[in-house]
mmCIF file of all heavy atoms in Angstrom:
data_model
loop_
_atom_site.group_PDB
_atom_site.id
_atom_site.type_symbol
_atom_site.label_atom_id
_atom_site.label_comp_id
_atom_site.label_asym_id
_atom_site.label_seq_id
_atom_site.Cartn_x
_atom_site.Cartn_y
_atom_site.Cartn_z
ATOM 1 N N GLY A 44 -39.090 -26.962 18.301
ATOM 2 C CA GLY A 44 -39.350 -28.039 17.400
ATOM 3 C C GLY A 44 -38.187 -28.786 16.933
ATOM 4 O O GLY A 44 -38.252 -29.541 15.886
ATOM 5 N N ALA A 45 -37.046 -28.712 17.687
ATOM 6 C CA ALA A 45 -35.870 -29.521 17.256
ATOM 7 C C ALA A 45 -36.107 -30.962 17.509
ATOM 8 O O ALA A 45 -36.594 -31.398 18.598
ATOM 9 C CB ALA A 45 -34.648 -28.989 18.083
ATOM 10 N N PRO A 46 -35.774 -31.865 16.620
ATOM 11 C CA PRO A 46 -35.935 -33.293 16.822
ATOM 12 C C PRO A 46 -35.103 -33.771 18.001
ATOM 13 O O PRO A 46 -33.811 -33.556 18.048
ATOM 14 C CB PRO A 46 -35.474 -33.969 15.574
ATOM 15 C CG PRO A 46 -35.590 -32.878 14.488
ATOM 16 C CD PRO A 46 -35.306 -31.575 15.231
ATOM 17 N N LEU A 47 -35.632 -34.477 18.964
ATOM 18 C CA LEU A 47 -34.955 -34.795 20.162
ATOM 19 C C LEU A 47 -33.729 -35.706 19.819
ATOM 20 O O LEU A 47 -32.702 -35.587 20.421
ATOM 21 C CB LEU A 47 -35.890 -35.634 21.064
ATOM 22 C CG LEU A 47 -35.321 -36.100 22.508
ATOM 23 C CD1 LEU A 47 -34.936 -34.872 23.297
ATOM 24 C CD2 LEU A 47 -36.378 -36.946 23.211
ATOM 25 N N GLU A 48 -33.853 -36.608 18.753
ATOM 26 C CA GLU A 48 -32.769 -37.463 18.509
ATOM 27 C C GLU A 48 -31.510 -36.772 17.847
ATOM 28 O O GLU A 48 -30.465 -37.324 17.755
ATOM 29 C CB GLU A 48 -33.293 -38.560 17.535
ATOM 30 C CG GLU A 48 -33.749 -38.093 16.139
ATOM 31 C CD GLU A 48 -35.212 -37.714 16.145
ATOM 32 O OE1 GLU A 48 -35.782 -37.488 17.285
ATOM 33 O OE2 GLU A 48 -35.780 -37.578 15.041
ATOM 34 N N HIS A 49 -31.769 -35.487 17.465
ATOM 35 C CA HIS A 49 -30.625 -34.696 16.898
ATOM 36 C C HIS A 49 -29.874 -33.954 18.005
ATOM 37 O O HIS A 49 -28.879 -33.323 17.695
ATOM 38 C CB HIS A 49 -31.158 -33.765 15.854
ATOM 39 C CG HIS A 49 -31.625 -34.410 14.617
ATOM 40 N ND1 HIS A 49 -32.064 -33.674 13.503
ATOM 41 C CD2 HIS A 49 -31.724 -35.772 14.226
ATOM 42 C CE1 HIS A 49 -32.446 -34.450 12.609
ATOM 43 N NE2 HIS A 49 -32.260 -35.729 12.978
ATOM 44 N N ILE A 50 -30.308 -33.978 19.208
ATOM 45 C CA ILE A 50 -29.775 -33.134 20.292
ATOM 46 C C ILE A 50 -28.823 -34.023 21.190
ATOM 47 O O ILE A 50 -29.279 -35.050 21.684
ATOM 48 C CB ILE A 50 -30.839 -32.446 21.104
ATOM 49 C CG1 ILE A 50 -31.760 -31.658 20.188
ATOM 50 C CG2 ILE A 50 -30.178 -31.539 22.144
ATOM 51 C CD1 ILE A 50 -32.918 -31.031 20.901
ATOM 52 N N THR A 51 -27.609 -33.562 21.420
ATOM 53 C CA THR A 51 -26.751 -34.184 22.321
ATOM 54 C C THR A 51 -26.394 -33.229 23.425
ATOM 55 O O THR A 51 -26.085 -31.999 23.209
ATOM 56 C CB THR A 51 -25.384 -34.580 21.685
ATOM 57 O OG1 THR A 51 -25.647 -35.490 20.544
ATOM 58 C CG2 THR A 51 -24.464 -35.318 22.617
ATOM 59 N N VAL A 52 -26.540 -33.597 24.695
ATOM 60 C CA VAL A 52 -26.277 -32.764 25.850
ATOM 61 C C VAL A 52 -24.829 -32.857 26.203
ATOM 62 O O VAL A 52 -24.354 -34.008 26.599
ATOM 63 C CB VAL A 52 -27.198 -33.046 26.987
ATOM 64 C CG1 VAL A 52 -26.766 -32.172 28.283
ATOM 65 C CG2 VAL A 52 -28.643 -32.843 26.750
ATOM 66 N N ILE A 53 -24.047 -31.812 26.045
ATOM 67 C CA ILE A 53 -22.633 -31.724 26.478
ATOM 68 C C ILE A 53 -22.418 -30.443 27.336
ATOM 69 O O ILE A 53 -22.467 -29.402 26.741
ATOM 70 C CB ILE A 53 -21.667 -31.850 25.266
ATOM 71 C CG1 ILE A 53 -21.950 -33.011 24.405
ATOM 72 C CG2 ILE A 53 -20.239 -31.764 25.822
ATOM 73 C CD1 ILE A 53 -21.055 -33.064 23.136
ATOM 74 N N PRO A 54 -22.192 -30.549 28.656
ATOM 75 C CA PRO A 54 -22.008 -29.409 29.401
ATOM 76 C C PRO A 54 -20.744 -28.733 29.044
ATOM 77 O O PRO A 54 -19.822 -29.294 28.461
ATOM 78 C CB PRO A 54 -21.962 -29.936 30.847
ATOM 79 C CG PRO A 54 -22.532 -31.334 30.776
ATOM 80 C CD PRO A 54 -22.272 -31.803 29.428
ATOM 81 N N PRO A 55 -20.609 -27.456 29.398
ATOM 82 C CA PRO A 55 -19.297 -26.783 29.138
ATOM 83 C C PRO A 55 -18.187 -27.403 29.973
ATOM 84 O O PRO A 55 -18.501 -28.045 30.983
ATOM 85 C CB PRO A 55 -19.629 -25.261 29.681
ATOM 86 C CG PRO A 55 -21.091 -25.173 29.583
ATOM 87 C CD PRO A 55 -21.589 -26.573 29.897
ATOM 88 N N GLY A 56 -16.944 -27.178 29.502
ATOM 89 C CA GLY A 56 -15.876 -27.696 30.255
ATOM 90 C C GLY A 56 -15.299 -26.723 31.271
ATOM 91 O O GLY A 56 -15.708 -25.557 31.292
ATOM 92 N N VAL A 57 -14.398 -27.268 32.152
ATOM 93 C CA VAL A 57 -13.714 -26.426 33.096
ATOM 94 C C VAL A 57 -12.290 -26.786 33.210
ATOM 95 O O VAL A 57 -11.946 -27.959 33.001
ATOM 96 C CB VAL A 57 -14.387 -26.575 34.532
ATOM 97 C CG1 VAL A 57 -14.323 -27.948 35.016
ATOM 98 C CG2 VAL A 57 -13.870 -25.590 35.519
ATOM 99 N N ASP A 58 -11.448 -25.826 33.388
ATOM 100 C CA ASP A 58 -10.011 -26.071 33.513
ATOM 101 C C ASP A 58 -9.674 -26.551 34.933
ATOM 102 O O ASP A 58 -9.560 -25.781 35.888
ATOM 103 C CB ASP A 58 -9.172 -24.778 33.220
ATOM 104 C CG ASP A 58 -7.695 -24.988 33.145
ATOM 105 O OD1 ASP A 58 -7.250 -26.088 33.653
ATOM 106 O OD2 ASP A 58 -6.992 -24.136 32.711
ATOM 107 N N THR A 59 -9.603 -27.925 35.115
ATOM 108 C CA THR A 59 -9.427 -28.470 36.473
ATOM 109 C C THR A 59 -8.020 -28.372 37.003
ATOM 110 O O THR A 59 -7.816 -28.592 38.110
ATOM 111 C CB THR A 59 -9.828 -29.986 36.484
ATOM 112 O OG1 THR A 59 -9.067 -30.696 35.454
ATOM 113 C CG2 THR A 59 -11.300 -30.141 36.174
ATOM 114 N N THR A 60 -7.143 -27.860 36.180
ATOM 115 C CA THR A 60 -5.734 -27.585 36.614
ATOM 116 C C THR A 60 -5.695 -26.168 37.221
ATOM 117 O O THR A 60 -4.954 -25.885 38.174
ATOM 118 C CB THR A 60 -4.750 -27.731 35.498
ATOM 119 O OG1 THR A 60 -5.018 -26.773 34.467
ATOM 120 C CG2 THR A 60 -4.651 -29.160 35.037
ATOM 121 N N LEU A 61 -6.558 -25.290 36.696
ATOM 122 C CA LEU A 61 -6.582 -23.942 37.186
ATOM 123 C C LEU A 61 -7.483 -23.877 38.407
ATOM 124 O O LEU A 61 -7.243 -23.331 39.375
ATOM 125 C CB LEU A 61 -7.104 -22.920 36.126
ATOM 126 C CG LEU A 61 -7.346 -21.477 36.600
ATOM 127 C CD1 LEU A 61 -6.071 -20.839 37.117
ATOM 128 C CD2 LEU A 61 -7.918 -20.683 35.396
ATOM 129 N N PHE A 62 -8.721 -24.492 38.214
ATOM 130 C CA PHE A 62 -9.677 -24.451 39.300
ATOM 131 C C PHE A 62 -9.532 -25.790 40.172
ATOM 132 O O PHE A 62 -10.037 -26.794 39.796
ATOM 133 C CB PHE A 62 -11.068 -24.249 38.738
ATOM 134 C CG PHE A 62 -11.359 -22.943 38.083
ATOM 135 C CD1 PHE A 62 -11.163 -22.845 36.733
ATOM 136 C CD2 PHE A 62 -11.592 -21.818 38.841
ATOM 137 C CE1 PHE A 62 -11.371 -21.627 36.092
ATOM 138 C CE2 PHE A 62 -11.848 -20.674 38.216
ATOM 139 C CZ PHE A 62 -11.661 -20.511 36.856
ATOM 140 N N HIS A 63 -8.899 -25.654 41.272
ATOM 141 C CA HIS A 63 -8.646 -26.782 42.109
ATOM 142 C C HIS A 63 -8.694 -26.322 43.620
ATOM 143 O O HIS A 63 -8.621 -25.227 43.945
ATOM 144 C CB HIS A 63 -7.243 -27.390 41.810
ATOM 145 C CG HIS A 63 -6.122 -26.407 42.032
ATOM 146 N ND1 HIS A 63 -5.502 -26.321 43.219
ATOM 147 C CD2 HIS A 63 -5.537 -25.566 41.154
ATOM 148 C CE1 HIS A 63 -4.546 -25.373 43.166
ATOM 149 N NE2 HIS A 63 -4.571 -24.903 41.876
ATOM 150 N N PRO A 64 -8.859 -27.345 44.557
ATOM 151 C CA PRO A 64 -8.960 -26.972 45.957
ATOM 152 C C PRO A 64 -7.658 -26.361 46.450
ATOM 153 O O PRO A 64 -6.570 -26.827 46.012
ATOM 154 C CB PRO A 64 -9.258 -28.369 46.654
ATOM 155 C CG PRO A 64 -9.835 -29.185 45.501
ATOM 156 C CD PRO A 64 -9.130 -28.758 44.274
ATOM 157 N N MET A 65 -7.840 -25.449 47.405
ATOM 158 C CA MET A 65 -6.657 -24.811 48.094
ATOM 159 C C MET A 65 -7.040 -24.819 49.577
ATOM 160 O O MET A 65 -8.128 -25.050 49.950
ATOM 161 C CB MET A 65 -6.402 -23.414 47.651
ATOM 162 C CG MET A 65 -6.173 -23.253 46.155
ATOM 163 S SD MET A 65 -6.045 -21.474 45.682
ATOM 164 C CE MET A 65 -5.965 -21.539 43.924
ATOM 165 N N GLU A 66 -6.093 -24.537 50.383
ATOM 166 C CA GLU A 66 -6.251 -24.427 51.847
ATOM 167 C C GLU A 66 -7.065 -23.118 52.141
ATOM 168 O O GLU A 66 -6.640 -22.068 51.720
ATOM 169 C CB GLU A 66 -4.865 -24.409 52.572
ATOM 170 C CG GLU A 66 -5.017 -24.859 54.038
ATOM 171 C CD GLU A 66 -5.409 -23.786 54.974
ATOM 172 O OE1 GLU A 66 -4.943 -22.602 54.709
ATOM 173 O OE2 GLU A 66 -6.239 -24.020 55.821
ATOM 174 N N LYS A 67 -8.173 -23.295 52.893
ATOM 175 C CA LYS A 67 -9.094 -22.224 53.017
ATOM 176 C C LYS A 67 -8.487 -20.964 53.747
ATOM 177 O O LYS A 67 -8.690 -19.796 53.321
ATOM 178 C CB LYS A 67 -10.316 -22.661 53.720
ATOM 179 C CG LYS A 67 -11.384 -21.533 53.866
ATOM 180 C CD LYS A 67 -12.660 -22.009 54.433
ATOM 181 C CE LYS A 67 -13.377 -22.891 53.459
ATOM 182 N NZ LYS A 67 -13.776 -22.124 52.241
ATOM 183 N N THR A 68 -7.825 -21.220 54.787
ATOM 184 C CA THR A 68 -7.180 -20.142 55.608
ATOM 185 C C THR A 68 -6.251 -19.283 54.838
ATOM 186 O O THR A 68 -6.228 -18.065 54.776
ATOM 187 C CB THR A 68 -6.530 -20.666 56.870
ATOM 188 O OG1 THR A 68 -7.480 -21.403 57.634
ATOM 189 C CG2 THR A 68 -5.953 -19.500 57.707
ATOM 190 N N ALA A 69 -5.429 -20.026 53.971
ATOM 191 C CA ALA A 69 -4.514 -19.295 53.088
ATOM 192 C C ALA A 69 -5.238 -18.546 52.034
ATOM 193 O O ALA A 69 -4.806 -17.396 51.690
ATOM 194 C CB ALA A 69 -3.494 -20.277 52.552
ATOM 195 N N ALA A 70 -6.310 -19.107 51.522
ATOM 196 C CA ALA A 70 -7.015 -18.452 50.457
ATOM 197 C C ALA A 70 -7.655 -17.181 51.038
ATOM 198 O O ALA A 70 -7.688 -16.127 50.370
ATOM 199 C CB ALA A 70 -8.068 -19.400 49.910
ATOM 200 N N LYS A 71 -8.255 -17.293 52.210
ATOM 201 C CA LYS A 71 -8.873 -16.079 52.881
ATOM 202 C C LYS A 71 -7.862 -15.007 53.010
ATOM 203 O O LYS A 71 -8.145 -13.800 52.836
ATOM 204 C CB LYS A 71 -9.604 -16.472 54.137
ATOM 205 C CG LYS A 71 -10.878 -17.136 53.917
ATOM 206 C CD LYS A 71 -11.666 -17.279 55.209
ATOM 207 C CE LYS A 71 -13.074 -17.772 55.030
ATOM 208 N NZ LYS A 71 -13.905 -17.759 56.183
ATOM 209 N N GLN A 72 -6.657 -15.333 53.526
ATOM 210 C CA GLN A 72 -5.620 -14.392 53.750
ATOM 211 C C GLN A 72 -5.228 -13.711 52.391
ATOM 212 O O GLN A 72 -4.921 -12.487 52.430
ATOM 213 C CB GLN A 72 -4.425 -15.081 54.328
ATOM 214 C CG GLN A 72 -3.258 -14.128 54.737
ATOM 215 C CD GLN A 72 -2.146 -14.887 55.440
ATOM 216 O OE1 GLN A 72 -2.065 -16.087 55.540
ATOM 217 N NE2 GLN A 72 -1.208 -14.079 56.004
ATOM 218 N N ALA A 73 -5.129 -14.500 51.368
ATOM 219 C CA ALA A 73 -4.649 -14.003 50.075
ATOM 220 C C ALA A 73 -5.626 -12.959 49.507
ATOM 221 O O ALA A 73 -5.226 -12.022 48.848
ATOM 222 C CB ALA A 73 -4.536 -15.174 49.110
ATOM 223 N N VAL A 74 -6.958 -13.148 49.752
ATOM 224 C CA VAL A 74 -7.947 -12.143 49.189
ATOM 225 C C VAL A 74 -8.270 -11.076 50.261
ATOM 226 O O VAL A 74 -9.108 -10.211 49.916
ATOM 227 C CB VAL A 74 -9.193 -12.813 48.752
ATOM 228 C CG1 VAL A 74 -8.834 -13.822 47.640
ATOM 229 C CG2 VAL A 74 -9.935 -13.515 49.865
ATOM 230 N N GLY A 75 -7.769 -11.145 51.440
ATOM 231 C CA GLY A 75 -8.053 -10.124 52.423
ATOM 232 C C GLY A 75 -9.327 -10.370 53.187
ATOM 233 O O GLY A 75 -9.890 -9.391 53.782
ATOM 234 N N ALA A 76 -9.810 -11.579 53.260
ATOM 235 C CA ALA A 76 -11.021 -11.837 54.010
ATOM 236 C C ALA A 76 -10.654 -12.186 55.477
ATOM 237 O O ALA A 76 -9.610 -12.805 55.782
ATOM 238 C CB ALA A 76 -11.761 -13.037 53.361
ATOM 239 N N HIS A 77 -11.555 -11.808 56.364
ATOM 240 C CA HIS A 77 -11.306 -12.136 57.801
ATOM 241 C C HIS A 77 -11.405 -13.648 58.019
ATOM 242 O O HIS A 77 -12.369 -14.236 57.490
ATOM 243 C CB HIS A 77 -12.393 -11.395 58.683
ATOM 244 C CG HIS A 77 -11.988 -11.389 60.129
ATOM 245 N ND1 HIS A 77 -12.078 -12.528 60.907
ATOM 246 C CD2 HIS A 77 -11.591 -10.386 60.907
ATOM 247 C CE1 HIS A 77 -11.721 -12.202 62.122
ATOM 248 N NE2 HIS A 77 -11.444 -10.898 62.168
ATOM 249 N N PRO A 78 -10.481 -14.258 58.643
ATOM 250 C CA PRO A 78 -10.405 -15.691 58.803
ATOM 251 C C PRO A 78 -11.596 -16.246 59.547
ATOM 252 O O PRO A 78 -11.986 -17.487 59.371
ATOM 253 C CB PRO A 78 -9.102 -15.970 59.569
ATOM 254 C CG PRO A 78 -8.754 -14.713 60.203
ATOM 255 C CD PRO A 78 -9.335 -13.629 59.327
ATOM 256 N N ASP A 79 -12.264 -15.476 60.419
ATOM 257 C CA ASP A 79 -13.365 -15.981 61.185
ATOM 258 C C ASP A 79 -14.792 -15.668 60.683
ATOM 259 O O ASP A 79 -15.756 -16.118 61.151
ATOM 260 C CB ASP A 79 -13.343 -15.385 62.661
ATOM 261 C CG ASP A 79 -12.008 -15.817 63.355
ATOM 262 O OD1 ASP A 79 -11.586 -16.972 63.144
ATOM 263 O OD2 ASP A 79 -11.599 -15.071 64.222
ATOM 264 N N HIS A 80 -14.818 -14.958 59.479
ATOM 265 C CA HIS A 80 -16.059 -14.639 58.892
ATOM 266 C C HIS A 80 -16.575 -15.754 58.018
ATOM 267 O O HIS A 80 -15.855 -16.412 57.339
ATOM 268 C CB HIS A 80 -15.917 -13.281 58.060
ATOM 269 C CG HIS A 80 -15.832 -12.119 58.852
ATOM 270 N ND1 HIS A 80 -15.847 -10.870 58.315
ATOM 271 C CD2 HIS A 80 -15.691 -11.914 60.191
ATOM 272 C CE1 HIS A 80 -15.770 -9.934 59.219
ATOM 273 N NE2 HIS A 80 -15.695 -10.547 60.406
ATOM 274 N N LYS A 81 -17.836 -15.955 58.058
ATOM 275 C CA LYS A 81 -18.533 -16.795 57.167
ATOM 276 C C LYS A 81 -18.772 -16.045 55.790
ATOM 277 O O LYS A 81 -19.513 -15.123 55.705
ATOM 278 C CB LYS A 81 -19.930 -17.227 57.609
ATOM 279 C CG LYS A 81 -19.882 -17.928 59.001
ATOM 280 C CD LYS A 81 -19.427 -19.372 58.846
ATOM 281 C CE LYS A 81 -19.494 -20.184 60.145
ATOM 282 N NZ LYS A 81 -19.086 -21.534 60.037
ATOM 283 N N LEU A 82 -18.038 -16.508 54.764
ATOM 284 C CA LEU A 82 -17.966 -15.766 53.536
ATOM 285 C C LEU A 82 -18.790 -16.385 52.503
ATOM 286 O O LEU A 82 -18.579 -17.526 52.060
ATOM 287 C CB LEU A 82 -16.522 -15.677 53.032
ATOM 288 C CG LEU A 82 -16.330 -14.996 51.650
ATOM 289 C CD1 LEU A 82 -16.864 -13.576 51.686
ATOM 290 C CD2 LEU A 82 -14.826 -15.006 51.327
ATOM 291 N N LEU A 83 -19.846 -15.666 51.980
ATOM 292 C CA LEU A 83 -20.664 -16.095 50.803
ATOM 293 C C LEU A 83 -20.063 -15.357 49.659
ATOM 294 O O LEU A 83 -19.658 -14.190 49.734
ATOM 295 C CB LEU A 83 -22.080 -15.661 51.042
ATOM 296 C CG LEU A 83 -22.855 -16.171 52.252
ATOM 297 C CD1 LEU A 83 -24.279 -15.666 52.293
ATOM 298 C CD2 LEU A 83 -22.776 -17.725 52.269
ATOM 299 N N LEU A 84 -20.125 -16.065 48.454
ATOM 300 C CA LEU A 84 -19.595 -15.361 47.255
ATOM 301 C C LEU A 84 -20.478 -15.543 46.122
ATOM 302 O O LEU A 84 -21.099 -16.643 45.853
ATOM 303 C CB LEU A 84 -18.212 -16.122 46.936
ATOM 304 C CG LEU A 84 -17.369 -15.557 45.768
ATOM 305 C CD1 LEU A 84 -16.845 -14.164 46.118
ATOM 306 C CD2 LEU A 84 -16.250 -16.515 45.336
ATOM 307 N N PHE A 85 -20.649 -14.456 45.309
ATOM 308 C CA PHE A 85 -21.317 -14.478 44.021
ATOM 309 C C PHE A 85 -20.329 -14.081 42.978
ATOM 310 O O PHE A 85 -19.592 -13.129 43.119
ATOM 311 C CB PHE A 85 -22.512 -13.490 44.032
ATOM 312 C CG PHE A 85 -23.082 -13.287 42.665
ATOM 313 C CD1 PHE A 85 -24.079 -14.158 42.181
ATOM 314 C CD2 PHE A 85 -22.603 -12.260 41.832
ATOM 315 C CE1 PHE A 85 -24.637 -13.957 40.904
ATOM 316 C CE2 PHE A 85 -23.119 -12.162 40.516
ATOM 317 C CZ PHE A 85 -24.096 -12.951 40.122
ATOM 318 N N VAL A 86 -20.290 -14.864 41.851
ATOM 319 C CA VAL A 86 -19.505 -14.492 40.712
ATOM 320 C C VAL A 86 -20.331 -14.474 39.502
ATOM 321 O O VAL A 86 -20.991 -15.531 39.227
ATOM 322 C CB VAL A 86 -18.306 -15.519 40.637
ATOM 323 C CG1 VAL A 86 -17.422 -15.162 39.388
ATOM 324 C CG2 VAL A 86 -17.480 -15.583 41.910
#
Side-chain angles (χ1 to χ4, degrees):
L47 183 62
E48 63 273 15
H49 289 183
I50 306 174
T51 302
V52 176
I53 303 178
V57 63
D58 186 346
T59 55
T60 59
L61 174 62
F62 295 97
H63 61 86
M65 304 175 186
E66 204 279 317
K67 180 174 293 296
T68 302
K71 283 192 172 185
Q72 183 177 10
V74 300
H77 194 287
D79 296 328
H80 285 188
K81 300 285 188 181
L82 175 59
L83 303 179
L84 185 69
F85 168 90
V86 179

